[in-house]
Amino acid sequence: MVLGERHKAILALLKQKGSVTVNELTVALNASPATIRRDLELLEQTSLLRRTYGGAIEYTVGYEPSLTDRATKCTAEKIAIARLAASLIAAGDIIALDSGTTTYQIAKQLISIEPLSIITTSLTIAEIFANADNDEHTIIIPGGIVRTKTHSVVGEMAESNLMNYRCNTAFMSCQSITPENGAMNDNLLAMGIKRALINISQKIVIVADHSKFEKMSLATVVPTKKIDVLITDEKTSDTTLQSYRDLGIEVIIAHL
């Protein structure tokens, strides 16, 4: 395969999958690893992709959609996941909800559970419970910097404040997830916050609809070894989910 054709093939695979490895491209294009690495270097120089350790991701992978944009995608799946997640929560629990559209849907399902303590960095989630006006709900928001794009609190002050608390379970969202890299996100400003929530929680539950799988984002939020439970919808293939089961992660499927 000549150079131009190979580059087109690499970009086509990236568009389809969001990320590729050198090993995958070696097999698919019948080329040596050294050749593939040179191709990736050339394509990165022209801003057509971004190289990663052992492969590449789409150049646009660092773009983070607004909360409003994300709320309109896979809504039915997120609601189904939220209902299932809420069924795991009992009165008296102390839970953490990070900022995300799926965790927002979980919060909406929790109004009837009381008493309940919720630690969250999301202003939209806090507003749900504020509007419910229920003294049986204790809502804890760390002080910090408000990031308007995600309607959430970030920064070192917030991270430090979170370390004063402990909770039973953290429900964490993500922009993408793979067995190798765990749950990932493009929002680097929220990385410290998410890791603080992990550190104060006994159990970590990742909530991710089918569109989040087998894609790459900028950085790992929750390493695979830290994930206790993965909740997704029925559109995620069983072959994909088996990889997580093989790693000892409990996989729960929400049906629409």
Side-chain angles (χ1 to χ4, degrees):
M1 185 179 290
V2 298
L3 183 64
E5 292 176 347
R6 204 166 55 243
H7 285 184
K8 288 179 182 178
I10 291 172
L11 294 173
L13 283 170
L14 263 181
K15 185 175 182 180
Q16 176 186 347
K17 302 183 64 177
S19 66
V20 290
T21 67
V22 171
N23 288 340
E24 287 174 336
L25 294 173
T26 297
V27 174
L29 305 181
N30 193 27
S32 70
T35 296
I36 295 299
R37 291 190 186 96
R38 285 195 296 269
D39 288 340
L40 297 181
E41 183 176 359
L42 287 170
L43 290 168
E44 183 179 50
Q45 289 172 2
T46 54
S47 299
L48 292 172
L49 55 75
R50 291 181 182 178
R51 284 187 297 164
T52 61
Y53 180 76
I57 57 179
E58 287 184 282
Y59 186 77
T60 57
V61 75
Y63 169 71
E64 181 194 5
S66 69
L67 190 68
T68 303
D69 290 339
R70 286 183 282 130
T72 61
K73 296 180 179 179
C74 299
T75 304
E77 290 86 348
K78 291 173 182 176
I79 292 172
I81 290 170
R83 286 174 179 159
L84 198 156
S87 72
L88 304 179
I89 300 168
D93 279 353
I94 305 169
I95 66 166
L97 297 172
D98 76 345
S99 178
T101 52
T102 307
T103 49
Y104 174 80
Q105 293 294 343
I106 294 174
K108 291 171 69 175
Q109 300 290 326
L110 301 181
I111 297 302
S112 61
I113 300 177
E114 55 182 52
L116 195 63
S117 297
I118 301 98
I119 302 170
T120 186
T121 57
S122 167
L123 301 181
T124 53
I125 288 175
E127 186 177 20
I128 289 173
F129 293 102
N131 290 336
D133 193 22
N134 187 340
D135 289 339
E136 294 298 315
H137 293 152
T138 300
I139 314 303
I140 299 168
I141 307 175
I145 300 168
V146 173
R147 187 162 189 258
T148 56
K149 190 170 188 178
T150 57
H151 296 193
S152 63
V153 180
V154 298
E156 292 183 7
M157 184 188 302
E159 295 164 24
S160 177
N161 186 249
L162 281 174
M163 298 310 294
N164 292 315
Y165 305 102
R166 295 292 179 269
C167 71
N168 304 118
T169 307
F171 293 86
M172 310 283 293
S173 58
C174 63
Q175 285 182 271
S176 62
I177 182 169
T178 68
E180 299 80 13
N181 300 292
M184 294 168 281
N185 202 291
D186 287 328
N187 180 6
L188 297 184
L189 292 175
M191 296 297 290
I193 282 287
K194 290 177 181 288
R195 287 170 180 165
L197 289 175
I198 293 168
N199 288 335
I200 67 172
S201 304
Q202 293 179 331
K203 179 186 288 187
I204 306 300
V205 179
I206 297 297
V207 288
D209 65 72
H210 66 276
S211 70
K212 308 294 178 65
F213 287 82
E214 304 310 317
K215 295 181 179 179
M216 288 289 255
S217 295
L218 204 53
T220 294
V221 178
V222 188
T224 308
K225 63 182 180 181
K226 292 279 189 179
I227 301 173
D228 297 299
V229 181
L230 172 61
I231 304 178
T232 188
D233 62 84
E234 60 189 9
K235 294 182 182 179
T236 308
S237 75
D238 194 64
T239 301
T240 295
L241 294 178
Q242 189 58 47
S243 300
Y244 298 91
R245 295 188 184 101
D246 291 343
L247 293 169
I249 297 171
E250 181 183 359
V251 175
I252 308 177
I253 299 173
H255 297 280
L256 302 180

